[in-house]
Amino acid sequence: MLVTGFGPFEKRRFNPSRVVAAALERQPPRGVRVLARELPVSFRGAPREVERFVARHARQRPVLLLGLGVQRASWFRFEQRARGVFSTERVDNDGVAGAELGGRVGPTLHTEIDVRRLARLLREAGAHDVRLSNDAGGYVCERTYHALLSAGREHGIPAVFLHVPPAAAVASRKQTQLVRALLRAWFAQPHVRANVRFSATARSAGALRSPSAPTPRTRGTRRRTRARRAP
């Protein structure tokens, strides 16, 4: 799976989303390979990085795109959609306001993932307050979510965005534990686990090789298939 987070912006010198994303890559849920990327807090730069990140790893068949960002409120918030119109005068780290994007960047996109189930799993993991939202904020997080959903549709990968609380409300280490437990429970579901097995099998069978270049076999030996962690 692929995970994105953000660095500092405005007066927030510490962004827990980058910490959680990096920690998931270092210590992923068992059986799952996690690749993380810190995105620039930029209306134009973040979508470009998302497109490159997803395109680079799409052939490895990721089973999930997870975007992380920090919000002001003290709860966790799953975003159900990303709007394609940005009118905010709030500027990013490049000094660019959302209103400068030229109005519409695309249609409103909705996640295909069952966010109610995700919210329930996060609560069961120990999060006290988890909410669903139809307003991703109109800032760089929403622009990034739109890019994640667009890339996911292009490559056939489901995407979802989770706003995490400030570290002052929930410590970043605790946030990491909660999100890791959520993902562990999510990937334990039969229909998700089947996709993980398919991804791992495709990779171990040579999904990145050209069909015209079969793997040579040595006489008297058997091909061995190693279980690999799905991205």
Side-chain angles (χ1 to χ4, degrees), residues 113-152:
I113 293 179
D114 186 349
V115 289
R116 293 186 182 278
R117 181 181 293 271
L118 284 176
R120 177 176 61 79
L121 292 175
L122 186 54
R123 292 188 194 99
E124 291 175 355
H128 297 298
D129 196 349
V130 185
R131 307 185 187 188
L132 305 182
S133 166
N134 278 315
D135 183 353
Y139 191 52
V140 177
C141 281
E142 186 155 18
R143 181 66 188 92
T144 299
Y145 192 19
H146 197 278
L148 285 166
L149 290 168
S150 296

Side-chain angles (χ1 to χ4, degrees), residues 71-152:
Q71 62 170 339
R72 294 187 178 92
S74 61
W75 53 78
F76 291 85
R77 196 175 86 210
F78 281 104
E79 304 297 345
Q80 301 182 94
R81 67 174 186 172
R83 296 163 295 188
V85 178
F86 296 85
S87 59
T88 182
E89 295 298 330
R90 187 180 174 193
V91 299
D92 60 16
N93 284 0
D94 296 330
V96 176
E100 297 178 46
L101 298 179
R104 191 177 185 86
V105 300
T108 295
L109 300 177
H110 293 78
T111 182
E112 299 176 357
I113 293 179
D114 186 349
V115 289
R116 293 186 182 278
R117 181 181 293 271
L118 284 176
R120 177 176 61 79
L121 292 175
L122 186 54
R123 292 188 194 99
E124 291 175 355
H128 297 298
D129 196 349
V130 185
R131 307 185 187 188
L132 305 182
S133 166
N134 278 315
D135 183 353
Y139 191 52
V140 177
C141 281
E142 186 155 18
R143 181 66 188 92
T144 299
Y145 192 19
H146 197 278
L148 285 166
L149 290 168
S150 296

Side-chain angles (χ1 to χ4, degrees), residues 163-176:
H163 268 115
V164 300
V170 181
S172 57
R173 179 178 296 182
K174 181 63 174 178
Q175 292 188 30
T176 299

Side-chain angles (χ1 to χ4, degrees), residues 39-50:
L39 303 175
V41 182
S42 166
F43 278 108
R44 296 191 175 104
R48 285 197 298 265
E49 285 298 310
V50 165

Side-chain angles (χ1 to χ4, degrees), residues 7-230:
F9 67 102
E10 296 178 338
K11 296 182 180 180
R12 294 183 181 277
R13 306 319 302 167
F14 181 82
N15 193 329
S17 70
R18 72 192 296 192
V19 177
V20 175
L24 289 173
E25 182 177 69
R26 290 193 305 271
Q27 289 185 289
R30 184 177 180 181
V32 180
R33 183 186 179 201
V34 176
L35 299 176
R37 174 68 60 88
E38 181 178 330
L39 303 175
V41 182
S42 166
F43 278 108
R44 296 191 175 104
R48 285 197 298 265
E49 285 298 310
V50 165
E51 292 170 5
R52 293 169 185 163
F53 185 41
V54 177
R56 179 180 179 184
H57 299 288
R59 295 183 66 186
Q60 298 179 52
R61 302 179 184 272
V63 293
L64 178 65
L65 304 178
L66 173 62
L68 298 173
V70 66
Q71 62 170 339
R72 294 187 178 92
S74 61
W75 53 78
F76 291 85
R77 196 175 86 210
F78 281 104
E79 304 297 345
Q80 301 182 94
R81 67 174 186 172
R83 296 163 295 188
V85 178
F86 296 85
S87 59
T88 182
E89 295 298 330
R90 187 180 174 193
V91 299
D92 60 16
N93 284 0
D94 296 330
V96 176
E100 297 178 46
L101 298 179
R104 191 177 185 86
V105 300
T108 295
L109 300 177
H110 293 78
T111 182
E112 299 176 357
I113 293 179
D114 186 349
V115 289
R116 293 186 182 278
R117 181 181 293 271
L118 284 176
R120 177 176 61 79
L121 292 175
L122 186 54
R123 292 188 194 99
E124 291 175 355
H128 297 298
D129 196 349
V130 185
R131 307 185 187 188
L132 305 182
S133 166
N134 278 315
D135 183 353
Y139 191 52
V140 177
C141 281
E142 186 155 18
R143 181 66 188 92
T144 299
Y145 192 19
H146 197 278
L148 285 166
L149 290 168
S150 296
R153 290 190 174 193
E154 178 181 353
H155 298 286
I157 311 167
V160 70
F161 197 96
L162 173 63
H163 268 115
V164 300
V170 181
S172 57
R173 179 178 296 182
K174 181 63 174 178
Q175 292 188 30
T176 299
Q177 293 172 349
L178 292 171
V179 175
R180 185 183 292 117
L182 157 69
L183 293 173
R184 187 184 305 118
W186 176 258
F187 283 109
Q189 298 176 113
H191 69 285
V192 179
R193 190 165 61 244
N195 288 336
V196 172
R197 284 199 299 266
F198 173 78
S199 178
T201 301
R203 292 178 65 230
S204 63
L208 303 185
R209 287 199 309 271
S210 168
S212 61
T215 301
R217 301 178 67 175
T218 304
R219 182 179 298 177
T221 62
R222 294 182 179 179
R223 295 181 64 185
R224 296 179 180 178
T225 302
R226 294 182 178 181
R228 298 188 182 183
R229 294 185 296 181

